[in-house]
Amino acid sequence: MKRFPTANWLALLALALVVAYGCGGRPKPPPAEEETPPSSAVGEMQMGGSVIRVADPEGKWRFEARSEHIEAEGMDGPYRLQPAKCWYQAEDRPRVFMQADSARLDKAAKRVLLTGNVRVSHAAWSLVTERLDYDLAQGKVLGSGRTKLSYGGQEAERLPPSDSEVEEP
Amino acid sequence: MRQKAALCALAVVVCSVTAGSARAAQATPARGSTFGRFTVEAKSWGGDIQGPWEFSKDVKVTSSDLTMTCDRLKAWPTKDGRDWERVEATGNIAISGRYVAADKTGWQVTGKADSASYDAKAGQGVLKGSVQFKAVNSVTGATISAVADKLTYDVKTRQFQFERGERPVRVEWEQPEQAQPEGAAGGQQTGKSDTGK
């Protein structure tokens, strides 16, 4: 029986590789997760870049969360942000800023859980707590840890960076 | 007259703390705020994020000179969040600290009540239930104490009113022993009065 030459084997292998991967060269690795959060604009939630926005369909409130690192547990979240900078604005009320070491945003339940060095601030007051479980739809704090509110001092006047005020949903 | 002045100072202290902060912080008031700087610490916080807020479990309100502890504190900030419409404190209210009266007299004060409230619209601070207060003049050592069921302070008129139901309001005043000339009678001066409203 005639042996198939080694050179032919190599040629066949090269051909198979070309067929398998195409002729466009080496495929690009998938981008980092935080750069490509699920782009599904489901309901009133939109995601773009490292920003998640949630708004009441009737326009009664708006919420925005930013982070350098966002992980989605599924196509529609919940999302984990680490760290997190957020703001919440109810109709006819001043914007309230929040920041924490991490946040878990559940758009279906319209709830956000901030944990670790949580700071909530406003022009006249600031508040620090260990954790903050917040219902976006009702605008209510459902649970918190030890809390300290500072009113009227310099600390209260200091606000998070204003970059989160730039974009509108 | 001295007694009356001391009582007046006491009442001002009471109502300052009732409102969740203290007049003693007048030197550094927040912009446009009825009260000065203060902090509220508690084990739990709830309510709307823009108010009203409810603090509970080991609540401690601290201003520059005065501290108030209570079981629960509910606060209604104004719509712009820069001032207060109403403040309510309930359960085991205890107040302590230093108060400087308008005449620059310093007083060490302690107090207790079952509930306290401040209402901006009414312009009143109210203490209710087993109201007990004691103030000691930091210079003379003079002590004045009062027992009542209710104390109302009008912020605008700076008038106060003690009430004790059908019973008279009890006020005690004690002047400490002073150095007397030889041969003169020494000892403490004390006063006690049970008055109506």
Side-chain angles (χ1 to χ4, degrees), chain A residues 88 90 92-94 96 98 120 122-125 127 132 134 139-141 144-153 157, chain B residues 30-31 33 36-51 53 55 78-84:
Chain A
Y88 178 86
D92 298 332
R93 300 298 292 269
V96 175
M98 309 169 200
V120 184
H122 172 274
W125 51 265
L127 186 145
L132 173 63
Y134 189 59
K140 287 197 181 297
V141 177
S144 71
R146 177 167 280 281
T147 302
K148 181 177 180 180
L149 168 77
S150 299
Y151 183 86
E157 297 292 338
Chain B
R31 280 181 300 173
S33 167
R37 295 178 186 177
F38 63 90
T39 61
V40 181
E41 293 173 76
K43 284 184 178 172
S44 179
W45 169 55
D48 288 13
I49 204 158
Q50 291 160 313
W53 300 316
F55 298 91
T78 53
K79 209 170 183 179
D80 65 3
R82 293 180 179 275
D83 210 340
W84 306 95

Side-chain angles (χ1 to χ4, degrees), chain B residues 173-188:
Chain B
W173 173 70
E174 185 177 317
Q175 184 70 17
E177 190 172 341
Q178 293 177 343
Q180 298 289 328
E182 217 170 295
Q188 291 184 330

Side-chain angles (χ1 to χ4, degrees), chain B residues 9-25 37-39 60-69 94-100 107-111 133-134:
Chain B
L10 189 66
V12 173
V13 172
V14 167
C15 295
S16 296
V17 179
T18 298
S21 72
R23 288 285 175 187
R37 295 178 186 177
F38 63 90
T39 61
K60 185 179 179 183
V61 183
T62 309
S63 72
S64 57
D65 289 322
L66 286 164
T67 299
M68 178 180 82
T69 56
I95 299 165
S96 64
R98 185 171 185 270
Y99 171 73
V100 180
W107 295 85
Q108 290 296 327
V109 297
T110 53
F133 266 89
K134 184 179 176 184

